């Protein structure tokens, strides 16, 4: 009985990048992504720093732990959908799904918003993995797996960060079997703040569902942009042979 001939793996061929033009493009994407959360804050009529105070004390106390749990559960679930050959979704469909889950999460206040958190995080992580693949990076590689989680170190669109904090691009972690868990432990405290603001927006009486839909759309769009910056720099690094720190500093100068 002859062996079954397997087709060769799909190879993505990218044209050589113009270093300066690519850095200009990534800087523009980073500028565009930052500050979009102002739309949500205008809608709910509150300042970002006041939103978390609206959450119950027990929720505030457990926010970092809940964020880490959502990230870990979501990463495994998102990776499983890729192994199961579920087709990658275009940006607009991913955002539409996130809008639906956000609206559902906001209908019941804090309890349903907390239940919705890992679902939306899974949708966003799946989109991040898709973007890694678009850039010719295999999401099953340990360093790419860690980079997918690292995108969340850019906090979120409700954060006061002006977009010039690029530490998420150069965070170092030994690539081992525990790389993703270690990255989650480092990312969760930073991500917990904007996610807490998102939960509080969803908990506002009457407009919780609308706030959930709007925040999810903006969060999903934001992290898709952050992923394209992250993996755009990684692809540029592979093409030019420059390390990520050098390219990140060049990007920082453009933002300054």
């Amino acid at each position: 009985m002859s062996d079954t001939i397997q087709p060769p793996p799909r190879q993505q061929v990218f044209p050589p990048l113009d270093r300066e033009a690519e850095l200009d493009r990534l800087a523009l994407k980073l500028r565009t992504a930052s500050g979009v959360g102002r739309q949500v804050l205008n809608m709910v009529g509150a300042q970002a720093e006041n939103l978390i105070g609206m959450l119950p004390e027990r929720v505030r106390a457990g926010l970092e732990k809940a964020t880490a749990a959502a990230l870990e559960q979501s990463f495994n679930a998102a990776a499983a959908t890729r192994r199961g050959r579920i087709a990658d979704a275009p940006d607009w469909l991913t955002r539409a799904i996130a809008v639906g889950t956000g609206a559902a999460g906001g209908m019941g206040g804090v309890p349903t918003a907390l239940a919705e958190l890992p679902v939306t995080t899974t949708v966003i992580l799946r989109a991040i993995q898709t973007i890694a693949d678009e850039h010719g990076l295999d999401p099953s590689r340990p360093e790419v797996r860690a980079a997918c989680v690292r995108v969340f170190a850019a906090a979120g669109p409700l954060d006061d960060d002006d977009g010039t904090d690029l530490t998420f691009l150069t965070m170092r972690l030994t690539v081992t079997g525990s790389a993703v868990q270690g990255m989650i432990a480092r990312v969760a405290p930073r991500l917990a703040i904007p996610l807490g603001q998102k939960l509080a927006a969803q908990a506002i009486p009457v407009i919780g569902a609308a706030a959930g839909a709007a925040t999810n759309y903006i969060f999903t769009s934001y992290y898709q942009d952050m992923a394209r910056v992250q993996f755009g720099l990684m692809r540029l690094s592979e093409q030019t042979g420059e390390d990520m720190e050098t390219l990140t500093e060049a990007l920082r100068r453009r933002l300054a």
Side-chain angles (χ1 to χ4, degrees), residues 141-214:
R141 284 166 46 193
E143 62 271 29
V144 180
R145 284 168 57 89
C148 287
V149 177
R150 189 181 300 143
V151 170
F152 283 102
L158 299 183
D159 192 24
D160 288 333
D161 197 327
D162 63 2
T164 59
D165 182 359
L166 305 180
T167 55
F168 77 103
L169 295 174
T170 53
M171 288 172 65
R172 287 192 173 276
L173 190 72
T174 302
V175 180
T176 65
S178 61
V180 172
Q181 285 71 27
M183 183 63 69
I184 286 172
R186 296 173 67 177
V187 167
R190 183 172 171 87
L191 180 59
I193 296 175
L195 284 188
Q197 294 161 0
K198 174 181 124 62
L199 288 174
Q202 288 176 280
I204 295 175
V206 182
I207 66 169

Side-chain angles (χ1 to χ4, degrees), residues 19-232:
R19 179 187 186 275
E20 301 306 311
E22 181 67 2
L23 286 171
D24 288 342
R25 186 184 70 82
L26 294 175
L28 177 61
K29 184 168 289 294
L30 199 55
R31 285 196 196 95
T32 303
S34 64
V36 294
R38 300 301 105 186
Q39 302 169 45
V40 174
L41 297 182
N42 290 336
M43 182 190 73
V44 300
Q47 294 299 312
E49 58 268 22
N50 296 332
L51 288 178
I52 293 183
M54 300 173 60
L55 293 172
E57 175 59 33
R58 63 177 181 78
V59 175
R60 294 199 303 270
L63 193 53
E64 186 176 318
K65 184 176 180 181
T67 301
L71 276 173
E72 188 161 357
Q73 295 168 20
S74 300
F75 190 89
N76 294 334
T81 64
R82 290 191 62 86
R83 288 195 299 271
R85 303 301 185 195
I86 295 177
D88 293 335
D91 285 359
W92 68 267
L93 181 55
T94 298
R95 293 170 189 174
I97 294 170
V99 164
T101 60
M107 292 182 69
V110 174
T112 55
L114 282 171
E116 170 261 332
L117 184 60
V119 178
T120 296
T121 308
T122 299
V123 172
I124 295 174
L125 265 171
R126 180 63 158 80
I128 291 171
Q129 292 171 350
T130 297
I131 291 168
D133 187 60
E134 286 175 2
H135 286 75
L137 301 166
D138 183 358
S140 67
R141 284 166 46 193
E143 62 271 29
V144 180
R145 284 168 57 89
C148 287
V149 177
R150 189 181 300 143
V151 170
F152 283 102
L158 299 183
D159 192 24
D160 288 333
D161 197 327
D162 63 2
T164 59
D165 182 359
L166 305 180
T167 55
F168 77 103
L169 295 174
T170 53
M171 288 172 65
R172 287 192 173 276
L173 190 72
T174 302
V175 180
T176 65
S178 61
V180 172
Q181 285 71 27
M183 183 63 69
I184 286 172
R186 296 173 67 177
V187 167
R190 183 172 171 87
L191 180 59
I193 296 175
L195 284 188
Q197 294 161 0
K198 174 181 124 62
L199 288 174
Q202 288 176 280
I204 295 175
V206 182
I207 66 169
T215 54
N216 273 21
Y217 179 87
I218 291 175
F219 265 72
T220 304
S221 302
Y222 175 82
Y223 286 118
Q224 285 173 326
D225 285 342
M226 291 299 98
R228 288 193 164 90
V229 174
Q230 172 77 65
F231 299 122

